[in-house]
């Protein structure tokens, strides 16, 4: 297809999209996963609910992903970033979104065809609902993936219940909740970003709820390579400490930090990630002056609700 034809198709698609603000904005961040991105975008075309826009923020991919969108998905709003800025890319998408509700997706996730339709229904039925967490299944095994809710997956996977966080590979947020609480904390880059945003949304008076009828499939890597595991342990070690010092009482943040340092270092031997974990803990310390400048403690009710079961046991609450 000629460049002039691609340009005309995009102009027509944009003109149609700008006629009226959509109810939903789907924001996808992408980085070098062209085949998975193509399936995610293709599946969105099959959604029963049609009043939505799609925004892809590309974190400087080098695999042809931007060109794929320009040639095969002219209806998509594409933002190309000069560098990989991690989860901050979600903010770039949210900032240009026009929907009342924002659906967050990773480029390796696929939504069931009724996902957006049911999400809109849930938001309309519960005005105080700020975040919708969905049932995420491993794309390949169809087993539950990313269960972060602190309750038994065997008894709760098919129940609707209030949660304290969500999995951003397939979730939805009311735009007014984002306006009240702010966007994702960009200094985190990756991991703990959902918890960081969730506690602010809760403190703004909104509810987070898991709905099992919202089903998504995540293409989880079959084998996690050493580099990926090392990165994960680094950011988990660093960002967890920053999270508690930003929002919890000083005594809680101190106690959790004192516990997490030996805990994380001990577990690092099991996963052969000692040095990356240690670096994460050291960087958490060195970055603390900047984090303390952003410190905004939430209410006691909020932090006690947001605390994980492990932290609640530590604090005996």
């Amino acid at each position: 297809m000629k460049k002039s034809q691609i340009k005309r198709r995009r102009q027509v698609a944009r003109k149609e999209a700008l006629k009226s603000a959509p109810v939903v904005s789907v924001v996808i961040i992408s980085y070098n996963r062209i085949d998975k991105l193509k399936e995610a975008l293709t599946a969105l075309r099959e959604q029963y609910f049609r009043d939505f826009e799609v925004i892809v923020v590309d974190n400087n991919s080098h695999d042809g992903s931007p060109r794929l969108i320009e040639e095969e998905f002219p209806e998509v709003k594409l933002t190309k970033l000069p560098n990989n800025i991690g989860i901050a890319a979600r903010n770039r998408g949210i900032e240009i979104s026009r929907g009342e509700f924002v659906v967050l997706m990773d480029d390796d996730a696929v939504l069931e065809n009724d996902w957006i339709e049911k999400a809109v229904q849930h938001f309309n039925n519960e005005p105080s609902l700020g975040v919708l967490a969905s049932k995420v299944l491993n794309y390949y095994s169809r087993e539950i993936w990313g269960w972060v809710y602190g309750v038994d997956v065997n008894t709760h996977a098919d129940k609707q219940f209030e949660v304290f966080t969500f999995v951003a590979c397939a979730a939805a947020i009311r735009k007014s909740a984002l306006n009240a609480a702010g966007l994702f904390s960009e200094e985190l880059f990756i991991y703990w970003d959902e918890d960081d945003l969730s506690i602010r949304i809760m403190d703004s008076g909104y509810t987070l709820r898991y709905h099992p009828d919202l089903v998504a499939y995540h293409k989880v890597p079959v084998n996690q390579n050493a580099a990926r595991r090392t990165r994960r342990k680094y950011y988990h070690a660093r960002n967890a400490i920053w999270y508690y010092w930003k929002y919890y009482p000083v005594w809680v943040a101190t106690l959790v930090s004192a516990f997490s340092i030996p805990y994380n270092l001990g577990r690092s031997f099991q996963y052969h990630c000692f040095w990356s974990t240690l670096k994460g803990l050291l960087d958490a310390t060195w970055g603390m002056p900047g984090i303390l400048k952003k410190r905004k403690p939430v209410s006691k009710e909020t932090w006690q609700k947001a605390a994980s079961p492990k932290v609640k046991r530590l604090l005996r609450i």
Side-chain angles (χ1 to χ4, degrees):
M1 184 180 295
K2 295 180 179 180
K3 289 185 177 180
S4 59
Q5 291 176 310
I6 296 172
K7 186 175 181 180
R8 282 197 296 273
R9 286 182 63 187
R10 296 196 70 192
Q11 287 174 340
V12 171
R14 290 279 178 85
K15 188 176 181 180
E16 290 296 319
L18 289 171
K19 285 182 178 179
S20 61
V23 173
V24 174
S25 297
V26 179
V27 175
I28 302 173
I29 57 174
S30 182
Y31 182 64
N32 285 336
R33 290 193 284 213
I34 185 171
D35 293 334
K36 295 175 181 178
L37 174 64
K38 182 175 183 177
E39 183 173 0
L41 293 175
T42 300
L44 284 173
R45 287 175 169 170
E46 303 301 318
Q47 286 291 313
Y48 301 148
F49 187 89
R50 299 306 309 160
D51 192 7
F52 67 91
E53 64 179 350
V54 181
I55 300 168
V56 173
V57 183
D58 186 81
N59 263 324
N60 194 29
S61 294
H62 302 291
D63 64 348
S65 293
R67 183 176 178 180
L68 167 77
I69 295 171
E70 292 170 343
E71 292 185 354
E72 299 189 28
F73 299 93
E75 73 276 15
V76 171
K77 294 181 179 179
L78 173 64
T79 295
K80 293 184 282 189
L81 301 177
N83 302 295
N84 183 355
I85 61 174
I87 57 93
R90 289 200 189 104
N91 290 347
R92 303 292 89 79
I94 294 170
E95 287 164 355
I96 63 172
S97 67
R98 298 180 297 130
E100 181 182 356
F101 312 116
V102 177
V103 172
L104 301 174
M105 285 180 61
D106 284 352
D107 55 4
D108 58 353
V110 176
L111 305 182
E112 284 276 14
N113 294 348
D114 59 358
W115 202 102
I116 297 179
E117 179 181 62
K118 289 181 176 178
V120 172
Q121 291 173 355
H122 291 316
F123 277 127
N124 288 335
N125 290 338
E126 188 176 353
S128 64
L129 182 60
V131 176
L132 275 168
S134 66
K135 178 191 286 186
V136 180
L137 304 179
N138 184 308
Y139 182 92
Y140 307 105
S141 68
R142 292 304 197 257
E143 296 176 345
I144 293 286
W145 179 87
W147 191 258
V148 294
Y149 306 117
V151 292
D152 188 351
V153 63
N154 296 311
T155 58
H156 285 73
D158 295 319
K159 294 181 180 179
Q160 178 240 104
F161 60 98
E162 189 172 346
V163 295
F164 57 87
T165 188
F166 62 98
V167 179
C169 72
I173 306 179
R174 190 184 296 271
K175 179 70 75 63
S176 61
L178 291 168
N179 293 337
L183 303 181
F184 288 93
S185 293
E186 300 190 3
E187 71 273 4
L188 300 179
F189 191 78
I190 191 173
Y191 301 126
W192 280 85
D193 48 295
E194 296 102 330
D195 301 76
D196 185 280
L197 178 58
S198 294
I199 196 170
R200 286 183 277 122
I201 288 177
M202 281 190 286
D203 205 49
S204 298
Y206 290 90
T207 301
L208 290 75
R209 198 174 300 282
Y210 168 85
H211 275 275
D213 60 343
L214 303 178
V215 181
Y217 305 93
H218 187 212
K219 294 186 176 181
V220 183
V222 177
N223 295 308
Q224 191 176 87
N225 59 38
R228 184 183 179 91
R229 187 168 58 246
T230 296
R231 182 185 70 164
R232 180 182 177 88
K233 293 301 179 183
Y234 168 82
Y235 284 112
H236 270 287
R238 188 194 70 172
N239 294 350
I241 291 177
W242 282 357
Y243 165 77
Y244 286 102
W245 279 99
K246 283 174 71 176
Y247 304 115
Y248 284 67
V250 171
W251 70 272
V252 175
T254 302
L255 189 60
V256 171
S257 298
F259 169 80
S260 67
I261 292 173
Y263 175 80
N264 280 309
L265 288 176
R267 284 176 61 87
S268 70
F269 289 103
Q270 178 183 352
Y271 294 101
H272 308 288
C273 296
F274 174 79
W275 293 112
S276 60
T277 302
L278 178 61
K279 187 176 188 305
L281 294 170
L282 290 174
D283 284 353
T285 303
W286 292 330
M288 193 60 69
I291 292 299
L292 292 178
K293 290 179 181 179
K294 298 180 179 181
R295 179 172 165 78
K296 292 183 179 179
V298 298
S299 69
K300 181 178 181 180
E301 179 184 2
T302 297
W303 71 255
Q304 288 191 343
K305 184 186 293 187
S308 68
K310 188 182 298 181
V311 170
K312 287 180 178 178
R313 289 195 296 271
L314 177 66
L315 302 178
R316 297 180 181 180
I317 59 174

